Amino acid sequence: MFALGLITSQTGNGSQLGVGELQGAQLAVDEINADGGVDGHRVELRTADDQSNPAQAVLQTRKMLGAVEAIIGPSLSGPCRAVIPLAASAGLVNYCLSPGIKPDPGSYQWSASAPTTVLADRVMRYWKSKGITRIGLIHTTDSSGIDGAHATQQAIEGAGLTLVGQASYSPSAVSVTSQLQAATAGDPQALVVWSTGAAAGVAFKGVHQMGLKLPVATTDGNLTYTFLQRIADYAPETLLIPATRDFWWQQQNPSPAVRELEERYHKDFRDRFGGEPDFGPGVGYDAVLLLARALDDANGDTAKVRDTLENLRGVEGVVGTYSFAHDNHRGIGPADVGIVDARGGRITYVGR
């Protein structure tokens, strides 16, 4: 038997991601075992809740060291950063499910989804194609908010747009009226809200209460049906989110292999969990498939997981097509990212 550790946010601010990540990972493990397992061995998923808290993530990681072949998670960049030293000292691959982590070449750290810089760049170039050139930015002061703010600033500059206002706020804030006033003081044509979960909801509620009619973009950390339902009464009229292939594969004439994979994944998820998968399930599902593939290529030798994972090329996942390397522990990029509009809680592809 091979054991994979999965640490996700089943409670706390990251639970809108963590619950789905667990579901996607469970789905992948069941499919692998139904197909004969890895190198003739069953795969077991050992799970833990980090409560969206870095200290809890460290505690749960310590419990798993020596008992699992790799660790998947946590859900958020802060907890991921907290467990990086533990995984590295144990020589254990850690496949973080947040795109906010930037793995060092040759390390034991991996990161899910597309880089934050690519996500922000997609939004800015889409807006530029629509004639929008003046951007406002509001973000949280946690690690993911700061990372997103830096990526947004770079993307604005790279696209030749202008940042006309910026403000930050604590993830625990209950009102951000003054910050929104600062972010929109320069009369922007669009607004970026880089925060997730409840903190993003506070910003969206403020946008609604101030009567701002701007198109809004946010991080793919909010690309969950749970979040969209939560903000339904005060969601922006236009809410753009950068999204990986699992949200728009049908619009891109995929290859037969990709179509088969996506159709099976979406059908199996609906049959088991009673709804459509969103951001969390996709990254959880792919992480399990990739680690299982690496274990299989290594003939079950867990000491070789890092090296075999680095050598995977052109592997189709539901999120995108993965090609890793010594200096690329993410594997996907701009070609795997499009833009969706979450207007009215419905996720609709609008372009790339």
Side-chain angles (χ1 to χ4, degrees):
M1 179 191 71
F2 292 116
L4 297 176
L6 179 72
I7 302 172
T8 52
S9 299
Q10 295 301 298
T11 56
N13 190 51
S15 61
Q16 68 181 39
L17 298 169
V19 171
E21 289 164 350
L22 174 57
Q23 292 172 334
Q26 289 173 327
L27 194 66
V29 166
D30 290 347
E31 288 181 1
I32 291 166
N33 288 333
D35 198 36
V38 171
D39 198 40
H41 299 274
R42 286 182 57 80
V43 176
E44 177 183 286
L45 196 63
R46 299 185 181 179
T47 65
D49 175 18
D50 67 8
Q51 302 172 28
S52 308
N53 183 294
Q56 276 297 318
V58 168
L59 176 64
Q60 299 303 333
T61 300
R62 285 177 173 156
K63 290 179 179 179
M64 289 185 179
L65 295 180
V68 298
E69 274 63 62
I71 290 178
I72 300 170
S75 305
L76 303 175
S77 60
C80 277
R81 287 189 174 90
V83 307
I84 287 174
L86 294 175
S89 64
L92 199 65
V93 167
N94 173 217
Y95 201 115
C96 173
L97 296 177
S98 167
I101 295 298
K102 300 177 179 62
D104 291 332
S107 69
Y108 285 92
Q109 188 66 39
W110 261 254
S111 186
S113 192
T116 309
T117 51
V118 169
L119 301 175
D121 186 69
R122 275 289 188 224
V123 173
M124 296 309 138
R125 295 194 183 279
Y126 176 79
W127 270 339
K128 184 177 182 179
S129 74
K130 302 299 180 182
I132 292 174
T133 61
R134 299 168 59 81
I135 311 298
L137 168 63
I138 184 170
H139 63 93
T140 44
T141 54
D142 56 4
S143 59
S144 60
I146 293 171
D147 178 65
H150 290 161
T152 300
Q153 292 162 355
Q154 292 174 15
I156 289 171
E157 182 178 352
L161 309 183
T162 304
L163 180 64
V164 298
Q166 180 176 347
S168 62
Y169 65 100
S170 167
S172 61
V174 295
S175 174
V176 293
T177 300
S178 60
Q179 292 91 336
L180 280 169
Q181 288 171 339
T184 59
D187 193 26
Q189 296 167 286
L191 177 69
V192 174
V193 175
W194 207 285
S195 57
T196 57
V202 169
F204 292 141
K205 184 175 288 187
V207 169
H208 177 76
Q209 291 172 340
M210 291 173 63
L212 299 174
K213 300 299 182 182
L214 300 171
V216 176
T218 192
T219 167
D220 59 355
N222 293 321
L223 195 49
T224 71
Y225 292 107
T226 298
F227 177 78
L228 297 177
Q229 290 167 2
R230 187 183 305 152
I231 67 165
D233 291 340
Y234 46 85
E237 292 182 4
T238 298
L239 179 58
L240 300 182
I241 306 178
T244 45
R245 187 175 67 196
D246 42 331
F247 289 93
W248 44 266
W249 59 277
Q250 291 170 309
Q251 285 78 27
Q252 291 296 302
N253 190 28
S255 68
V258 170
R259 180 174 293 278
E260 180 182 357
L261 174 63
E262 295 284 3
E263 287 179 345
R264 183 179 71 247
Y265 162 70
H266 285 83
K267 180 182 184 301
D268 289 351
F269 191 92
R270 286 193 300 269
D271 290 347
R272 180 162 179 176
F273 300 110
E276 289 291 339
D278 48 31
F279 177 83
V283 293
Y285 182 91
D286 278 4
V288 169
L289 290 185
L290 291 162
L291 286 168
R293 171 72 176 269
L295 275 166
D296 204 42
D297 287 357
N299 297 315
D301 186 345
T302 57
K304 297 180 179 178
V305 172
R306 177 184 60 173
D307 293 342
T308 53
L309 197 55
E310 282 188 343
N311 285 308
L312 293 184
R313 304 284 192 278
V315 178
E316 299 294 359
V318 298
V319 169
T321 302
Y322 295 87
S323 290
F324 297 116
H326 179 76
D327 59 352
N328 182 358
H329 284 192
R330 188 183 301 276
I332 63 174
D336 302 290
V337 179
I339 301 294
V340 297
D341 190 343
R343 186 180 312 179
R346 296 175 61 87
I347 297 172
T348 305
Y349 175 76
V350 296
R352 301 181 66 200

